[in-house]
């Protein structure tokens, strides 16, 4: 785990209210795996005081750490104004990442909105197995370009809520179709997105007996398990009642979470 002031190499808007920030962080890049996250303090002022968690969106050239973020509050608004050469405090990599698929498995990556970030990093490591990538947005203007992350979109299918691009509807509808088309036990699903989407993904994969790993998003103050502000209820209370997203996750098997409490 590394904690240091880190230089910004670029900060580029890539979609509606959505930016990619590249940090010169070779030490974090060398230690990072898909699914892990970093805690970033965006400035030296009292507000925002606490660091914020961001999934690692990928790496480039062995030294650039890529963070995909959407402007939704004061912290991310400050990030959008940052320029090349500025510095921010970055702590990471943190958390447990995705497990790689066993040989013969076809990865299906299902993302909702800005939840695409950790799956882009995963796709970088799965290039040989040509994963199917399903991405859902509210509208076409929110589509994240893959080439920013050194990826091609040849196996990408898109769903939009308003029908402005790709399938008119939810990304979970695309996922349901492809789970049913896959040979039994041949697919493995990786997912990240808003809670309602993940609940649907969990229901689909559990009912079809499809292996599934999910990246959970949660508010957290420390990212290290000390504040315990990111607890989620386990589905197996006889073994452990609550998980901490920062320490035990953010990646969990779909069956491990009590989805009724999220």
């Amino acid at each position: 785990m590394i904690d240091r002031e880190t230089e910004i190499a670029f900060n580029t808007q890539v979609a509606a209210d959505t930016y990619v920030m590249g940090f010169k962080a070779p030490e974090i890049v060398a230690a990072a795996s898909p699914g892990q996250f970093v805690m970033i303090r965006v400035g030296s002022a009292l507000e925002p005081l606490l660091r914020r968690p961001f999934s690692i969106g990928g790496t480039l050239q062995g030294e650039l750490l890529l963070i995909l973020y959407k402007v939704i509050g004061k912290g991310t608004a400050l990030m959008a104004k940052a320029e090349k050469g500025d510095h921010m405090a970055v702590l990471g990599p943190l958390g447990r990442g995705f497990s790689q698929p066993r040989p013969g498995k076809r990865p299906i990556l299902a993302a909702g909105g800005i939840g695409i970030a950790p799956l882009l990093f995963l796709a970088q490591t799965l290039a040989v197995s040509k994963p199917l990538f399903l991405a859902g947005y509210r509208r076409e203007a929110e589509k994240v370009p893959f080439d920013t992350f050194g990826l091609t979109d040849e196996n990408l299918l898109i769903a939009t809520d308003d029908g402005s691009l790709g399938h008119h509807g939810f990304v979970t509808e695309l996922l349901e179709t492809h789970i049913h088309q896959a040979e039994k036990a041949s697919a493995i699903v990786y997912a990240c997105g808003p809670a309602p989407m993940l609940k649907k993904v969990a229901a689909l994969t559990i009912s079809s007996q499809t292996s599934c790993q999910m990246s959970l998003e949660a508010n957290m103050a420390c990212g290290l398990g000390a504040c315990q502000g990111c607890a989620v209820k386990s589905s197996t209370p006889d073994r452990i009642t609550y998980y901490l997203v920062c320490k035990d996750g953010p990646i969990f098997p779909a069956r491990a979470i009590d989805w009724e409490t999220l």
Side-chain angles (χ1 to χ4, degrees), residues 37 39 53 94-95 216-234 241-252 257 261-262:
F37 65 98
M39 298 289 289
L94 299 169
L216 299 191
E217 298 174 330
N219 294 322
M220 56 184 74
C222 70
L224 300 170
C227 70
Q228 302 197 358
C230 58
V232 294
K233 197 168 188 299
S234 162
T241 305
Y242 286 92
Y243 293 116
L244 297 179
V245 173
C246 66
K247 185 178 177 181
D248 301 313
I251 310 303
F252 296 93
I257 304 301
T261 60
L262 285 185

Coordinates of all heavy atoms in Angstrom, one line a residue, residues 37 39 53 94-95 216-234 241-252 257 261-262:
F37 N -9.1 -0.6 -5.5 CA -9.5 0.9 -5.5 C -8.4 1.7 -4.8 O -7.5 1.1 -4.2 CB -10.8 1.1 -4.9 CG -10.9 0.8 -3.4 CD1 -10.8 1.9 -2.5 CD2 -11.1 -0.5 -2.9 CE1 -10.9 1.6 -1.1 CE2 -11.2 -0.7 -1.6 CZ -11.0 0.3 -0.7
M39 N -7.9 5.6 -2.5 CA -8.5 6.7 -1.8 C -7.8 8.0 -2.2 O -6.6 8.0 -2.1 CB -8.5 6.5 -0.3 CG -9.2 5.2 0.2 SD -11.0 5.3 0.1 CE -11.4 6.5 1.4
P53 N -13.2 7.1 -2.3 CA -12.8 5.9 -3.0 C -13.1 6.0 -4.5 O -14.2 6.4 -4.9 CB -13.6 4.8 -2.3 CG -14.9 5.5 -1.9 CD -14.5 7.0 -1.5
L94 N -6.0 -0.7 -2.7 CA -6.7 -1.2 -1.5 C -7.8 -2.2 -1.9 O -8.3 -2.2 -3.1 CB -7.4 -0.1 -0.8 CG -6.5 1.1 -0.3 CD1 -7.4 2.2 0.2 CD2 -5.7 0.6 0.9
G95 N -8.1 -3.1 -1.0 CA -9.2 -4.1 -1.2 C -8.8 -5.3 -1.9 O -7.6 -5.5 -2.3
L216 N -18.9 -4.0 -5.3 CA -19.8 -3.2 -4.6 C -19.3 -1.8 -4.4 O -18.1 -1.6 -4.2 CB -20.2 -3.8 -3.3 CG -20.8 -5.2 -3.2 CD1 -21.3 -5.5 -1.8 CD2 -21.9 -5.3 -4.2
E217 N -20.2 -0.8 -4.5 CA -19.8 0.6 -4.2 C -20.4 1.0 -2.9 O -21.5 0.6 -2.6 CB -20.3 1.5 -5.3 CG -19.7 1.2 -6.7 CD -20.3 2.0 -7.8 OE1 -21.5 2.3 -7.7 OE2 -19.6 2.2 -8.8
A218 N -19.6 1.7 -2.1 CA -20.1 2.1 -0.8 C -19.4 3.3 -0.3 O -18.3 3.6 -0.7 CB -19.9 1.0 0.3
N219 N -20.1 4.1 0.5 CA -19.4 5.3 1.1 C -18.5 4.7 2.2 O -18.8 3.8 3.0 CB -20.4 6.2 1.8 CG -21.3 6.9 0.8 OD1 -20.9 7.2 -0.3 ND2 -22.6 7.0 1.1
M220 N -17.3 5.3 2.2 CA -16.3 4.9 3.2 C -15.4 6.1 3.6 O -15.0 6.9 2.7 CB -15.5 3.7 2.8 CG -14.8 3.9 1.4 SD -13.9 2.4 0.8 CE -15.3 1.4 0.3
A221 N -15.0 6.2 4.8 CA -14.2 7.3 5.3 C -12.7 7.0 5.3 O -11.9 7.9 5.1 CB -14.6 7.7 6.7
C222 N -12.3 5.7 5.5 CA -10.9 5.4 5.6 C -10.4 4.5 4.5 O -9.3 4.5 4.1 CB -10.6 4.8 7.0 SG -11.3 3.2 7.2
G223 N -11.2 3.5 4.1 CA -10.8 2.6 3.1 C -10.0 1.4 3.6 O -9.5 0.6 2.9
L224 N -9.8 1.4 5.0 CA -8.9 0.4 5.6 C -9.6 -0.5 6.6 O -9.0 -1.3 7.2 CB -7.8 1.2 6.3 CG -6.9 2.0 5.4 CD1 -6.0 2.9 6.2 CD2 -6.1 1.2 4.4
G225 N -10.9 -0.3 6.8 CA -11.6 -1.1 7.8 C -11.7 -0.6 9.2 O -12.3 -1.2 10.1
A226 N -11.2 0.6 9.4 CA -11.2 1.2 10.7 C -12.5 1.9 11.1 O -13.0 1.7 12.2 CB -10.1 2.2 10.9
C227 N -13.1 2.6 10.1 CA -14.3 3.4 10.4 C -15.6 2.5 10.4 O -16.6 2.8 11.0 CB -14.5 4.5 9.4 SG -14.9 4.0 7.7
Q228 N -15.5 1.3 9.7 CA -16.6 0.4 9.5 C -17.9 1.0 9.0 O -19.0 0.7 9.3 CB -16.9 -0.3 10.9 CG -15.7 -1.0 11.4 CD -16.0 -2.1 12.5 OE1 -17.1 -2.2 12.9 NE2 -15.0 -2.7 12.9
G229 N -17.7 2.1 8.2 CA -18.8 2.7 7.6 C -19.4 2.1 6.3 O -20.4 2.6 5.7
C230 N -18.8 1.0 5.9 CA -19.2 0.4 4.6 C -19.6 -1.0 4.8 O -19.5 -1.8 3.9 CB -18.0 0.5 3.6 SG -16.5 -0.3 4.2
A231 N -20.3 -1.3 5.9 CA -20.7 -2.7 6.2 C -21.9 -3.0 5.3 O -22.8 -2.2 5.1 CB -21.1 -2.8 7.7
V232 N -21.9 -4.3 4.8 CA -23.0 -4.8 4.1 C -23.3 -6.2 4.7 O -22.4 -6.9 5.2 CB -22.8 -5.0 2.6 CG1 -22.6 -3.6 2.0 CG2 -21.5 -5.8 2.4
K233 N -24.6 -6.6 4.7 CA -25.0 -7.8 5.4 C -24.7 -9.0 4.6 O -25.0 -9.0 3.4 CB -26.5 -7.7 5.7 CG -27.0 -8.7 6.7 CD -28.4 -8.4 7.2 CE -28.8 -9.3 8.4 NZ -28.8 -10.8 8.0
S234 N -24.2 -10.0 5.2 CA -23.9 -11.3 4.6 C -25.1 -12.1 4.4 O -26.1 -12.0 5.2 CB -22.8 -12.0 5.4 OG -22.8 -13.4 5.1
T241 N -21.7 -12.0 9.9 CA -22.9 -11.3 9.8 C -22.8 -10.1 8.8 O -23.7 -9.9 8.0 CB -23.4 -10.7 11.1 OG1 -23.5 -11.8 12.1 CG2 -24.7 -10.1 11.0
Y242 N -21.7 -9.4 8.9 CA -21.5 -8.3 8.0 C -20.1 -8.3 7.4 O -19.1 -8.7 8.1 CB -21.6 -7.0 8.8 CG -23.1 -6.6 9.1 CD1 -23.6 -7.0 10.3 CD2 -23.9 -5.9 8.2 CE1 -24.9 -6.7 10.7 CE2 -25.2 -5.6 8.5 CZ -25.7 -6.0 9.7 OH -27.0 -5.7 10.0
Y243 N -20.0 -7.9 6.2 CA -18.7 -7.7 5.5 C -18.4 -6.2 5.5 O -19.3 -5.4 5.4 CB -18.7 -8.2 4.1 CG -18.9 -9.7 3.9 CD1 -20.0 -10.2 3.3 CD2 -17.9 -10.5 4.3 CE1 -20.2 -11.5 3.1 CE2 -18.0 -11.9 4.1 CZ -19.2 -12.4 3.5 OH -19.3 -13.7 3.3
L244 N -17.1 -5.8 5.5 CA -16.7 -4.5 5.2 C -16.3 -4.4 3.7 O -15.4 -5.2 3.3 CB -15.6 -4.1 6.1 CG -15.9 -4.0 7.6 CD1 -14.6 -3.6 8.3 CD2 -17.0 -3.0 7.9
V245 N -17.0 -3.5 2.9 CA -16.7 -3.5 1.5 C -15.2 -3.1 1.2 O -14.6 -3.7 0.3 CB -17.6 -2.4 0.8 CG1 -17.2 -2.2 -0.6 CG2 -19.1 -2.8 0.9
C246 N -14.6 -2.3 2.1 CA -13.3 -1.8 1.8 C -12.3 -2.9 2.1 O -11.3 -3.1 1.4 CB -12.9 -0.6 2.7 SG -12.9 -0.9 4.5
K247 N -12.5 -3.7 3.2 CA -11.5 -4.7 3.6 C -11.8 -6.1 3.1 O -10.9 -6.8 2.6 CB -11.5 -4.7 5.2 CG -10.4 -5.6 5.8 CD -10.5 -5.5 7.3 CE -9.5 -6.4 7.9 NZ -9.6 -6.4 9.4
D248 N -13.0 -6.5 3.1 CA -13.4 -7.9 2.7 C -13.7 -7.9 1.2 O -13.7 -8.9 0.6 CB -14.7 -8.4 3.4 CG -14.4 -8.4 4.9 OD1 -13.4 -8.9 5.3 OD2 -15.3 -7.9 5.7
G249 N -14.0 -6.7 0.6 CA -14.3 -6.6 -0.8 C -13.3 -5.6 -1.4 O -12.1 -5.6 -1.0
P250 N -13.7 -4.8 -2.5 CA -15.1 -4.6 -2.9 C -15.7 -5.7 -3.7 O -16.8 -5.7 -4.1 CB -15.0 -3.3 -3.6 CG -13.6 -3.3 -4.2 CD -12.8 -4.0 -3.2
I251 N -14.9 -6.8 -4.0 CA -15.3 -7.9 -4.9 C -15.9 -9.0 -4.0 O -15.2 -9.5 -3.1 CB -14.2 -8.4 -5.8 CG1 -13.5 -7.3 -6.5 CG2 -14.8 -9.4 -6.8 CD1 -14.4 -6.4 -7.3
F252 N -17.1 -9.4 -4.3 CA -17.8 -10.5 -3.6 C -18.5 -11.4 -4.6 O -19.0 -11.0 -5.6 CB -18.9 -9.9 -2.7 CG -18.4 -9.1 -1.6 CD1 -18.3 -7.7 -1.7 CD2 -17.9 -9.6 -0.4 CE1 -17.8 -6.9 -0.7 CE2 -17.4 -8.8 0.7 CZ -17.4 -7.4 0.5
I257 N -23.9 -12.0 -0.5 CA -24.5 -10.8 -0.1 C -26.0 -11.0 0.2 O -26.7 -11.6 -0.6 CB -24.3 -9.6 -1.1 CG1 -22.8 -9.4 -1.3 CG2 -24.9 -8.3 -0.6 CD1 -22.0 -9.1 -0.1
T261 N -31.2 -6.5 1.9 CA -30.9 -5.4 2.8 C -30.2 -4.2 2.1 O -29.9 -3.2 2.7 CB -30.0 -5.9 4.0 OG1 -28.8 -6.4 3.4 CG2 -30.7 -7.0 4.8
L262 N -29.9 -4.4 0.9 CA -29.2 -3.3 0.1 C -30.2 -2.3 -0.5 O -31.3 -2.7 -0.9 CB -28.3 -3.8 -1.0 CG -27.0 -4.5 -0.5 CD1 -26.1 -4.9 -1.7 CD2 -26.2 -3.5 0.4

